[in-house]
Amino acid sequence: MNKLKCLKINKVKNKKAQEEIVGFVLIVLVVSVVLLVFLGIFLRKDTNKTGDSEVSQFLDSISETTTECSFNGGYSYIKYSELIASCNEGKICSSGGACDILKNVTKNLIESSWNFSPTNGPKTGYRFEAFFEAENSDVRQPLPISDSGTISRLSGGSSFVGDEKTFPVTDGSLTIQLNLYLD
Amino acid sequence: MATLYAQYSKGQMKIQQMAFVLVALMIFFGMVALVYFSFSISNLRENAQELKEREAVEIVKKISYSPEFVFTGEDCSSCVDLDKILMLKESSKYEKFWNLDYLTVEKVSNETSNECNRFNYPNCNVITVVRETSNFGSANVAFVTLARWDSGLGAGGGFRYELGKIYASGRNLTRR
């Protein structure tokens, strides 16, 4: 009789303990879900920004500048935007290959415009790319301005600001893109 | 009687337990909400600061489109006339014209800063149009294309376009 009573008491105790555990697990689950949602929101936040006004102004301004490339022995010199098209066509200027001049001019202009410092500056590095996109095609072909198709000075920087500018040409479009890496 | 007292006490304990859990949950959600709002407010502040900076840069850019600066020699939308600006620098009438403390046009180059005048132009890189005070704070900057007549460019001379920056600072402008 006593054994039966003991068994009944144990059964009731076990059921109560199970209920407590279920409650506890539910609370832990709710808290975990809330934490996961917040973590997701904060981690998804993109720190990179395209369409930066400073870079946009820079790209607009350099496209009008006079370069040292001439196709008529120094009678006239072409603009930066024309130099990109000449590089795409593989032309040779009086003073060298259009792509080599494009690389040197771009590097000089970018590095004279901002101070890049891997430790002290707000800007740590940059990456410049130029592409050709044929009409009715989504494939971007990098211009041969270097072996990697880019001009860059990268030294860390977790986020970047940047912009791109497109120039229409007869059989498609040319795009230049500049990203500045921030400390 | 003793049994009844024990049962009543257990119920109370359960209610107390539940109350504690509810309070703990409320505190937890409150803290989460606090963290969320502090992040949102800091984002709002960042956005406001960014908008102010953009507005200041646009004001500087607007100065470059004014008739006193704009280049009309050839078709160039973002060009300013460097020859005109050199003349502006020499005219005292323009010192108060823009209501600015500082207005400078600089040619982007690796060379050391060299103020322009009639004698060294164009072998110089800075034209200070307005400098009301030396304590003008941090100036706002906008990139422009500088256009000037270069008699040595090509055959018979031509317009040379170079990359430049306009720096402006004043009470009317939002400082960075």
Side-chain angles (χ1 to χ4, degrees), chain A residues 55 58-60 62-63 80-81 84 102 106 127-132 140 143 145 163-167 173-179:
Chain A
V55 179
F58 174 80
L59 295 178
D60 283 343
I62 62 165
S63 59
Y80 185 88
S81 52
I84 301 165
L102 178 65
T106 309
R127 186 187 174 91
F128 177 90
E129 286 172 275
F131 312 99
F132 169 72
R140 283 180 153 188
L143 262 58
I145 45 175
D163 201 18
E164 59 179 41
K165 185 174 170 65
T166 303
F167 308 93
S173 64
L174 289 163
T175 303
I176 51 170
Q177 188 184 61
L178 176 65
N179 290 334

Side-chain angles (χ1 to χ4, degrees), chain A residues 17-152:
Chain A
Q18 273 174 341
E19 274 173 13
E20 296 267 327
I21 288 165
V22 168
F24 181 70
V25 167
L26 270 174
I27 287 166
V28 169
L29 270 176
V30 168
V31 169
S32 319
V33 166
V34 170
L35 277 176
L36 274 174
V37 168
F38 272 91
L39 264 176
I41 289 169
F42 290 127
L43 289 178
R44 205 181 51 184
K45 232 179 95 182
D46 199 4
T47 49
N48 299 331
K49 198 179 83 182
T50 49
D52 181 65
S53 63
E54 192 185 11
V55 179
S56 166
Q57 278 175 21
F58 174 80
L59 295 178
D60 283 343
S61 301
I62 62 165
S63 59
E64 299 285 352
T65 56
T66 310
T67 64
E68 56 199 79
C69 175
S70 170
F71 294 116
N72 44 27
Y75 187 80
S76 63
Y77 291 87
I78 62 168
K79 283 185 177 184
Y80 185 88
S81 52
E82 294 162 339
L83 183 65
I84 301 165
S86 304
C87 170
N88 184 46
E89 290 160 19
K91 285 185 179 174
I92 308 286
C93 311
S94 308
S95 52
C99 289
D100 292 332
I101 294 174
L102 178 65
K103 182 190 172 182
N104 293 334
V105 166
T106 309
K107 199 169 185 284
N108 278 339
L109 288 172
I110 296 172
E111 291 186 4
S112 307
S113 299
W114 292 282
N115 286 323
F116 296 101
S117 167
T119 49
N120 296 326
K123 291 179 177 75
T124 58
Y126 67 89
R127 186 187 174 91
F128 177 90
E129 286 172 275
F131 312 99
F132 169 72
E133 201 172 325
E135 233 172 342
N136 307 321
S137 166
D138 293 330
V139 182
R140 283 180 153 188
Q141 282 179 300
L143 262 58
I145 45 175
S146 71
D147 294 336
S148 59
T150 62
I151 305 168
S152 60

Side-chain angles (χ1 to χ4, degrees), chain B residues 101-102 130-139 167-170 175:
Chain B
D101 292 332
Y102 183 68
V130 179
R131 197 188 179 109
E132 288 287 302
T133 167
S134 57
N135 187 24
F136 53 81
S138 171
Y167 293 86
S169 177
R175 283 177 185 169

Side-chain angles (χ1 to χ4, degrees), chain B residues 84-101:
Chain B
K84 245 191 214 179
I85 296 165
L86 184 74
M87 293 299 109
L88 278 181
K89 182 198 167 168
E90 292 181 353
S91 171
S92 56
K93 287 173 192 168
Y94 281 94
E95 275 173 15
K96 307 273 178 195
F97 185 74
W98 286 283
N99 198 17
L100 293 168
D101 292 332

